[in-house]
Amino acid sequence: MSSYPPIADHGIVGDLQTAALVSSDGTIDWWCAPRFDAPSVFASLLDSERGGHCRVTVGATTGDIVVRQLYLPDTAILLTRFTGPEGVGEVADFMDPIRGTTPSDRHRLARVVRVVRGTLTFTLDCRPRFDYGRATHTLERADEHTATFRSPVADLHLQSTEPVVLNDDGADITAQFTLTEGERAMIVLTTASSGSLAPAPPTWESAFAEFDQCRTFWQTWLRSSTYRGRWRDMVNRSAITIKLLTYAPTGAPIAAATMGLPEQLGGERNWDYRYTWIRDASLSVRALSDLGFTEEAFAFRRWLRERLDAGGTASGEPLQIMYRVDGDPELTEEILPHLEGYERSAPVRLGNGAADQIQLDIYGEAADALAQNSDHGAIQGWRTFATLLDWLADNWNRPDEGIWETRGGRQEFTYSRLMTWVAFERGIRLATSKARPADVTRWTKERDAVFEQIIDRGWSEKRQAFVQHYATDVLDASLLLMPRMGFLSPRDPMWLSTLDAMYTELVSDSLVYRYNPEASPDGLRGVEGTFNLCSFLYVEALARAGRLQQARYAFDKMLTYANHVGLFAEEIGPSGEQLGNFPQAFTHLALVAAAIALDEELDRAESEHTRAL
């Protein structure tokens, strides 16, 4: 029997600076602090023995315990409910969002335990392992209700309303307590810098206030959503997830909450996704903006302009493909050989060696983000933006590593060319509408040259489709963004033919592969599952193409692969399991875009049908 829960068997809680994963058996098996990309406090998801965890479980003397996990509606408060012959109890895990934009070294995760009916006995087992299990710690006890784990990297303060004791080796904490109907217990975990003072002991009054503040925050935030479509629960959950993955002090969204979770069990495609990709972040804030969440878009555009002004990239380009959440471009990749990896999927990588890759598409996503709204941010920094497009005019016609960060050599990727076209198109539009100084004549010339090149070299007469790069006939699902970006009409014959070809080569029961790595080697061993981002982009493309029955089936089918609380990882494996880092912002932003597109097209079709009657 595996010592690892399925990747999908988790919910996420967070305070907009850090996030923790809680498995459906009540185990916190992933938490990094004081921010998403900081060293771990709990990481048993990557090594069940060395990684560390905090577990609250229920044991039954008669019969089996059934566990169910769910979110309090429209919040990030996670409930893990234990039901058995002796009673019903639950653990509510939550982190009250930190207001404002000041980074904090203190992060508080509350675990409120209560019994609804009957009598249940709970066991607490808290075993932090700091810095991915590399740092040792000491344990201090002030009284029977508190413990402080101290390490050179960080401290963890545990405070409990129930007495806690040392485990057998004296390095960790355990407790066992019995509650009857209506009784409660509380465990509060607070991360802080090394040598920190313990926080004030929690009270039930403060705990209830914190719970109400957390619930009110999320429900109030969601009221800004303009979405009134058919899939409100799933869209709201995706919006909350994207928000949870956004570092509030800078406005930078990360790609996923985790590192090292495999795209193939036992394979080497195990990456660190706790950073801000220009591409992912631009598309994430567009999804939030499309839902009416404008503050997040403003904050990201400010962060993006700061990156352009700062320079100093690892690649030497004006922009780097990814950064730390504070804008630091240093992401040196290393392997953690002491961790066995999820289900022994080694190596576990820390940092990301793709940071110095050349991926020219990011200039299109950046320009699209900067041009989305006519807010003050689109005006500030115009000179920097214009200088960027002047640079791109000299540099767009080069091979690069492409959107999927392949490690098999540079190519002339069609998607990269598409997005350089987008950069010029958005720049021209912005310069014209805002009457800003710019070399519009040259930008227009380069935009048209990119367009002609894509049509001439990115189109395969043999396949009757746009292809991955100019030296292949392999298809690539990233090109599903062509219509959304305005490069061609979603019902253009060349596009409909490309959709048909993708259906033949990349689609498996409505699930979509990124590309075929056997036909287009990417420099890595092994295979991967279908890519959730692409599956939702496929739905959007089908909807805009007027293939509504096919689009709705694909969307509804894709939703069946969500986990028990509506979350998605990066990929779906051959047995329907979720694979890759979790939860994945790319997937959830694409879900939002697909839902909006499908709603709009269904409404249009229904309206036309009504008028025809």
Side-chain angles (χ1 to χ4, degrees), residues 139-150 157-159 164 166 173 198-199 201:
L139 184 57
E140 299 176 3
R141 300 291 308 281
D143 55 51
E144 64 178 359
H145 294 278
T146 64
T148 295
F149 302 84
R150 296 198 182 277
H157 302 280
L158 181 151
Q159 297 165 306
V164 298
L166 300 177
I173 287 295

Side-chain angles (χ1 to χ4, degrees), residues 120-354:
L120 291 175
T121 297
F122 294 84
T123 299
L124 165 68
D125 180 31
C126 186
R127 300 169 178 262
R129 296 294 182 266
F130 298 93
D131 191 22
Y132 314 105
R134 294 183 295 189
T136 59
H137 71 265
T138 59
L139 184 57
E140 299 176 3
R141 300 291 308 281
D143 55 51
E144 64 178 359
H145 294 278
T146 64
T148 295
F149 302 84
R150 296 198 182 277
S151 82
V153 179
D155 291 344
L156 176 69
H157 302 280
L158 181 151
Q159 297 165 306
S160 171
T161 57
E162 301 297 319
V164 298
V165 298
L166 300 177
N167 70 350
D168 292 341
D169 61 13
D172 300 309
I173 287 295
T174 187
Q176 190 170 82
F177 51 92
T178 300
L179 303 177
T180 60
E181 183 174 331
E183 292 184 331
R184 295 178 173 87
M186 175 171 46
I187 300 107
V188 177
L189 304 171
T190 304
T191 62
S193 56
S194 295
S196 59
L197 297 176
T203 65
W204 281 113
E205 182 179 12
S206 65
F208 292 148
E210 195 172 334
F211 182 92
D212 286 338
Q213 287 171 190
C214 184
R215 179 177 58 185
T216 299
F217 173 89
W218 287 109
Q219 292 175 344
T220 301
W221 181 77
L222 266 183
R223 282 202 292 271
S224 297
S225 175
T226 57
Y227 181 78
R228 300 293 182 270
R230 297 165 176 80
W231 296 279
R232 197 174 303 181
D233 286 346
M234 290 300 294
V235 168
N236 284 353
R237 182 54 50 199
S238 290
I240 289 174
T241 302
I242 296 171
K243 178 71 171 176
L244 278 171
L245 296 176
T246 301
Y247 185 64
T250 62
I254 60 172
T258 59
M259 57 179 271
L261 294 182
E263 298 173 18
Q264 178 191 18
L265 293 183
E268 65 173 331
R269 300 167 187 262
N270 318 315
W271 315 112
D272 190 346
Y273 274 16
R274 300 169 302 150
Y275 308 115
T276 300
W277 271 253
I278 297 295
R279 175 190 312 111
D280 302 39
S282 297
L283 295 172
S284 291
V285 298
R286 175 166 179 170
L288 291 180
S289 182
D290 288 345
L291 293 174
F293 300 109
T294 56
E295 289 185 10
E296 288 74 15
F298 292 161
F300 174 69
R301 283 195 285 274
R302 181 176 60 248
W303 181 89
L304 183 55
R305 289 194 303 271
E306 290 172 354
R307 303 288 70 72
L308 285 168
D309 290 337
T313 61
S315 63
E317 308 282 299
L319 276 178
Q320 189 164 294
I321 68 168
M322 71 181 92
Y323 299 83
R324 295 186 180 275
V325 291
D326 62 355
D328 185 350
E330 180 56 51
L331 292 118
T332 302
E333 185 175 303
E334 62 177 300
I335 290 174
L336 304 180
H338 64 287
L339 296 180
E340 73 171 10
Y342 177 85
E343 293 281 13
R344 298 185 178 177
S345 298
V348 174
R349 293 182 175 91
L350 169 65
N352 200 304

Side-chain angles (χ1 to χ4, degrees), residues 342-500:
Y342 177 85
E343 293 281 13
R344 298 185 178 177
S345 298
V348 174
R349 293 182 175 91
L350 169 65
N352 200 304
D356 62 354
Q357 285 191 356
I358 306 300
Q359 298 176 20
L360 294 171
D361 69 281
I362 64 172
Y363 298 104
E365 282 107 5
D368 190 53
L370 291 170
Q372 278 171 31
N373 291 315
S374 58
D375 63 280
H376 64 280
I379 299 172
Q380 293 176 355
W382 170 256
R383 289 180 178 175
T384 301
F385 182 52
T387 300
L388 175 68
L389 287 188
D390 289 339
W391 175 90
L392 191 60
D394 291 326
N395 289 275
W396 67 264
N397 198 17
R398 297 179 296 159
D400 68 349
E401 274 89 2
I403 179 176
W404 305 129
E405 296 172 5
T406 59
R407 302 190 179 191
R410 295 177 182 175
Q411 297 286 350
E412 294 178 293
F413 285 99
T414 306
Y415 179 79
S416 297
R417 295 295 191 267
L418 164 70
M419 296 309 295
T420 58
W421 178 91
V422 170
F424 291 125
E425 194 280 334
R426 301 303 190 264
I428 294 166
R429 183 195 306 175
L430 203 57
T432 304
S433 64
K434 297 298 179 183
R436 299 296 169 206
D439 192 351
V440 175
T441 300
R442 187 182 184 202
W443 295 356
T444 302
K445 176 184 176 183
E446 299 303 328
R447 179 200 64 185
D448 294 347
V450 178
F451 182 91
E452 294 294 340
Q453 188 185 95
I454 292 173
I455 298 300
D456 292 343
R457 302 181 63 196
W459 172 262
S460 168
E461 286 293 333
K462 175 183 176 182
R463 301 300 306 274
Q464 286 294 292
F466 291 101
V467 292
Q468 184 180 65
H469 59 77
Y470 297 164
T472 186
D473 283 330
V474 172
L475 304 181
D476 192 315
S478 65
L479 297 177
L480 287 164
L481 280 166
M482 271 185 158
R484 187 207 285 189
M485 291 302 170
F487 182 80
L488 42 63
S489 163
R491 303 193 185 194
D492 185 287
M494 293 178 76
W495 177 245
L496 295 180
S497 178
T498 300
L499 266 184
D500 291 339

